[in-house]
C-alpha cells in the first residue's frame, strides 16, 4: 500500500513504513490503540510478569495500548471488557481515553504531585508490576536528551523502590547511547535480576530497548 502525501520524503517514507507495518495492522485487527502493545506482550511472554490478581501501575500510559494489554491479561479468557481479576493504575501527562477497569490519573511524573496522586490511589498497597513506556520530548542534542531519558528512568526506579512488592518487577523503556550503561548499572544495584530486551515489535531503526528489573534487593 502506498501513501500519497505532499510532505517531505522522510515523512513519506515513515508514513509508508507505518501503514505497511505488520504490528500496526495487527493492532488495528485486535483492537489495540497502538503497536506498542506488542512490545509489552513480547516482554511479558518471555518473562511471565503479569498474572491475574495483580496490581499493575502503567507509567506514561497514553494512548493506552499497554493498559489494554494488561487489562486483557488480568481478565478471564483475555476479555477486553467485563470481569477483571486485578487492578490497573495508569498515569500520563496527556489525557487518555477511558479503558474499562483502568484507573487513569493525569499528571506529570516529573512533578512530586503526580507521584503523590499515585501513592494515594495505591492506598498503602504494593504493586506487583510497574511498567514504564515514558519518554521525553527529544531535542536532538545527545547530552541533553540522555539526561532527560535518565531522569525519567531514575524516577521510575525510585517509584518502584517505594511502591513495588519485594518480588515485583519493573519494566522501563530506555535508549541505547549516552547514559545507557549507567542505567543498566542502576538496575543492577537495585534489582536481583536484570534483563535487557529489545522486542521484535521495536523498530530496527529505533535505539529503544527495555530494561526489566525483577526482585528488589534487600534494604530497597
Amino acid at each position: 500500500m502506498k501513501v500519497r502525501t505532499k510532505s517531505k520524503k522522510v515523512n513519506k517514507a515513515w508514513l509508508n513504513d507505518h501503514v505497511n507495518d505488520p504490528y500496526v495492522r495487527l493492532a488495528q485487527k485486535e483492537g489495540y490503540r497502538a503497536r506498542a502493545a506488542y512490545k509489552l506482550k513480547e516482554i511479558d511472554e518471555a518473562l511471565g510478569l503479569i498474572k491475574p490478581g495483580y496490581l499493575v501501575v502503567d507509567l506514561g500510559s497514553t494512548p493506552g495500548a499497554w493498559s489494554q494489554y494488561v487489562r486483557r491479561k488480568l481478565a478471564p479468557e483475555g476479555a477486553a471488557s467485563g470481569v477483571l481479576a486485578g487492578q490497573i493504575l495508569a498515569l500520563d501527562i496527556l489525557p487518555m481515553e477511558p479503558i474499562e477497569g483502568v484507573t487513569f490519573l493525569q499528571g506529570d511524573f516529573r512533578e512530586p504531585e503526580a507521584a503523590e496522586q499515585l501513592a494515594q490511589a495505591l492506598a498503602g498497597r504494593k504493586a506487583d508490576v510497574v511498567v514504564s513506556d515514558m519518554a521525553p520530548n527529544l531535542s536532538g542534542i545527545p547530552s541533553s536528551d540522555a539526561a532527560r531519558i535518565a531522569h525519567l528512568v531514575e524516577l521510575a526506579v525510585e517509584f518502584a523502590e517505594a511502591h513495588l512488592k519485594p518480588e515485583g518487577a519493573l519494566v522501563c523503556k530506555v535508549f541505547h547511547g549516552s547514559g545507557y550503561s549507567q542505567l543498566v548499572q542502576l538496575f543492577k544495584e537495585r534489582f536481583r535480576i536484570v534483563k535487557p530486551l529489545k522486542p521484535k515489535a521495536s523498530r530496527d531503526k529505533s535505539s529503544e530497548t527495555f530494561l526489566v528489573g525483577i526482585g528488589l534487593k534487600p534494604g530497597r
Side-chain angles (χ1 to χ4, degrees), residues 2-218:
K2 291 189 177 181
V3 177
R4 296 184 180 277
T5 174
K6 295 181 180 179
S7 57
K8 294 179 181 178
K9 287 183 179 179
V10 173
N11 291 334
K12 187 184 292 185
W14 180 89
L15 197 53
N16 271 308
D17 287 347
H18 181 75
V19 171
N20 292 297
D21 186 312
Y23 290 103
V24 171
R25 291 180 173 180
L26 193 58
Q28 292 169 344
K29 179 182 176 182
E30 297 188 342
Y32 285 114
R33 296 176 181 178
R35 67 191 301 287
Y38 300 100
K39 300 174 189 178
L40 182 58
K41 184 175 188 285
E42 286 184 59
I43 294 168
D44 180 40
E45 289 179 347
L47 300 174
L49 301 177
I50 301 167
K51 299 174 183 177
Y54 274 12
L55 169 55
V56 180
V57 177
D58 182 3
L59 303 175
S61 59
T62 301
W66 278 24
S67 284
Q68 284 180 302
Y69 172 75
V70 175
R71 197 245 178 272
R72 295 183 190 190
K73 277 302 296 277
L74 299 184
E77 301 179 1
S81 61
V83 177
L84 187 65
Q87 186 173 7
I88 307 160
L89 297 177
L91 174 89
D92 200 284
I93 193 170
L94 298 173
M96 185 177 85
E97 287 295 319
I99 298 170
E100 185 178 328
V102 177
T103 299
F104 175 70
L105 304 171
Q106 187 172 352
D108 186 342
F109 193 66
R110 295 166 296 184
E111 301 297 331
E113 294 80 9
E116 180 58 30
Q117 270 188 297
L118 272 174
Q120 288 178 5
L122 285 166
R125 295 163 300 164
K126 296 287 187 178
D128 295 279
V129 180
V130 175
V131 296
S132 171
D133 199 26
M134 292 189 296
N137 291 324
L138 301 179
S139 65
I141 303 170
S143 58
S144 175
D145 289 340
R148 291 177 184 178
I149 292 162
H151 181 53
L152 285 175
V153 175
E154 288 162 2
L155 288 175
V157 170
E158 286 178 13
F159 178 82
E161 287 183 290
H163 300 290
L164 196 62
K165 288 181 179 177
E167 69 279 11
L170 170 65
V171 179
C172 247
K173 176 157 74 178
V174 297
F175 294 89
H176 275 292
S178 177
Y180 173 75
S181 59
Q182 288 91 332
L183 293 177
V184 173
Q185 184 58 37
L186 173 66
F187 266 66
K188 288 181 176 179
E189 289 170 359
R190 301 297 198 271
F191 295 94
R192 290 185 290 103
I193 300 169
V194 177
K195 302 271 189 183
L197 295 170
K198 183 175 177 67
K200 292 177 183 176
S202 277
R203 290 190 169 100
D204 292 338
K205 297 175 184 177
S206 173
S207 65
E208 78 170 5
T209 189
F210 295 85
L211 287 176
V212 182
I214 303 172
L216 290 166
K217 286 189 172 179

